[in-house]
Amino acid sequence: MRITLVSTYALGHQPFGLASPAAWLGAEGFSVRCLDLAVEPLDERALAQADLIAFYLPMHTATRLAVPVIKDARARNPDAHICAYGLYAPMNAAYLARLGVDRIIGGEFETELLHMARRIADGRAPRTSEPAITLVKQRFRRPDRTGLPPLSAYAHLTMPDGSRRTVGYSEASRGCKHLCRHCPVVPVYGGRFMIVSPEVVLDDIAQQVAAGAEHITFGDPDFLNGPGHAMRIVSALHERWPDLTYDVTVKVEHLIRHGAHLRTLAETGCLFVTSAIESVDDAILRKLDKGHTAADFRRAVALCREAGLALNPTFVAFTPWITLEGYRDLLR
């Protein structure tokens, strides 16, 4: 049976959301084709000849870009089973069904994709757009990146001296323990997070280093949801590849609560930490249930500087509650 996995946008990274299910499906003997339309042209035959076409929708931009491709896939291959999976698939289930998507998968999608492929191969796969959110703990496999474009086709990291580093991407966990009201992780995971075993994470990094990676982005929603797990991984990473650098994403409250780990991050090669600050207005932060204040943000900046880490803040600059003076405060 022929399966085509499609990604339209993954923030400039080689998509883990294709490489991981490709390993699961390939191990079962299915013929898997990966298409990353962010960096390569659409292969129309891969849509026309597939028995199962699955679109990876990890974010809003990826979902919008996938819409015309889903329509094209349905027109070219009316008999194919079309699936959408990832965080934004369940939230857009009704809309995706109108486009012709047969199956919606959220959460730990590898297990459900494999079950779906088996049912299609056996001729007993139902066509239903009811979302299936699977939070069953999985034993992850090393992602299969052989069917994806080379790392050189993706984003690079520019260093202060002007040199460029080839960037790889991996995930040490999924989901999040927190319930911030604006976050797309919450409707799917509901306060749960799943870890990927250190052996799988390090094996995945090893294959990317062999392919030329000099820096790794960890795409976990919050790298310090499980600080013990995270520290084991970065310590082993640094011991094995002392020149390899990386970056992570961490909540402000975790930067403060686990401040003792920040120096370890810096010492093991972490160059910068991305953190979703969202606002410097305490009233807005309470509405978003972010778990930090503007003063906490300033404290996190100081802690990162003391540890030798650059802080890369992100903001939701415009909300229904922003005022002109609040926007000036943000700019200041």
Side-chain angles (χ1 to χ4, degrees):
M1 192 179 85
R2 289 168 294 195
I3 301 172
T4 298
L5 304 177
V6 184
S7 174
T8 57
Y9 180 68
L11 288 171
H13 299 296
Q14 198 182 62
F16 187 93
L18 296 193
S20 182
W24 290 61
L25 296 164
E28 289 277 320
F30 295 113
S31 174
V32 181
R33 174 69 194 279
C34 292
L35 294 179
D36 185 359
L37 303 186
V39 297
E40 62 180 331
L42 174 64
D43 183 345
E44 296 173 351
R45 291 177 300 175
L47 298 183
Q49 298 174 359
D51 302 293
L52 169 61
I53 306 169
F55 289 85
Y56 176 48
L57 307 180
M59 62 192 79
H60 179 79
T61 304
T63 306
R64 297 301 300 174
L65 291 172
V67 168
V69 190
I70 292 171
K71 292 178 179 178
D72 187 34
R74 178 49 75 210
R76 290 180 183 279
N77 194 342
D79 295 327
H81 287 256
I82 297 182
C83 170
Y85 65 100
L87 288 176
Y88 273 72
M91 287 189 283
N92 292 281
Y95 177 59
L96 293 168
R98 293 197 296 271
L99 298 178
V101 173
D102 300 303
R103 186 69 170 167
I104 309 293
I105 299 173
E108 303 301 273
F109 49 76
E110 290 89 349
T111 299
E112 192 62 29
L113 277 172
L114 182 57
H115 290 167
M116 183 180 180
R118 288 169 175 165
R119 291 193 293 267
I120 293 172
D122 293 341
R124 53 185 180 87
R127 293 179 183 266
T128 173
S129 59
E130 288 298 315
I133 296 179
T134 304
L135 297 180
V136 176
K137 188 175 181 180
Q138 305 182 137
R139 291 190 64 184
F140 284 88
R141 299 174 180 267
R142 184 182 77 164
D144 181 0
R145 299 179 178 275
T146 57
L148 289 165
L151 291 178
S152 59
Y154 294 90
H156 286 69
L157 177 67
T158 302
M159 300 297 289
D161 63 2
S163 62
R164 284 157 51 99
R165 294 188 181 183
T166 300
V167 178
Y169 175 96
S170 194
E171 296 178 2
S173 66
R174 283 198 189 139
C176 185
K177 294 192 295 186
H178 299 271
L179 301 172
C180 304
R181 293 191 179 105
H182 66 303
C183 179
V185 177
V186 176
V188 175
Y189 283 90
R192 296 181 62 185
F193 85 107
M194 314 288 187
I195 65 169
V196 183
S197 72
E199 296 77 17
V200 171
V201 177
L202 293 168
D203 281 351
D204 185 29
I205 292 172
Q207 67 176 336
Q208 293 181 80
V209 170
E214 301 161 292
H215 179 93
I216 298 293
T217 289
F218 283 100
D220 310 44
D222 192 308
F223 195 65
L224 292 183
N225 264 321
H229 172 65
M231 291 302 104
R232 283 192 293 273
I233 287 174
V234 298
S235 296
L237 176 151
H238 186 62
E239 181 177 354
R240 189 166 176 182
W241 304 285
D243 296 325
L244 186 68
T245 57
Y246 64 91
D247 67 271
V248 298
T249 297
V250 182
K251 279 174 65 69
V252 168
E253 62 184 288
H254 283 175
L255 291 174
I256 295 172
R257 184 183 307 160
H258 304 302
H261 292 310
L262 299 186
R263 193 164 298 280
T264 301
L265 290 177
E267 291 172 350
T268 55
C270 185
L271 295 182
F272 60 93
V273 176
T274 298
S275 192
I277 309 306
E278 314 304 29
S279 175
V280 295
D281 183 321
D282 284 343
I284 294 176
L285 290 169
R286 284 193 297 271
K287 289 179 184 293
L288 298 179
D289 199 14
K290 279 300 299 179
H292 71 259
T293 64
D296 292 333
F297 169 37
R298 291 190 288 273
R299 175 64 178 149
V301 172
L303 288 171
C304 286
R305 286 176 175 167
E306 289 170 10
L309 293 170
L311 184 65
N312 174 36
T314 65
F315 299 96
V316 178
F318 300 102
T319 71
W321 314 286
I322 190 71
T323 64
L324 181 58
E325 185 54 36
Y327 186 57
R328 288 170 173 160
D329 282 343
L330 176 60
L331 295 181
R332 279 194 290 267

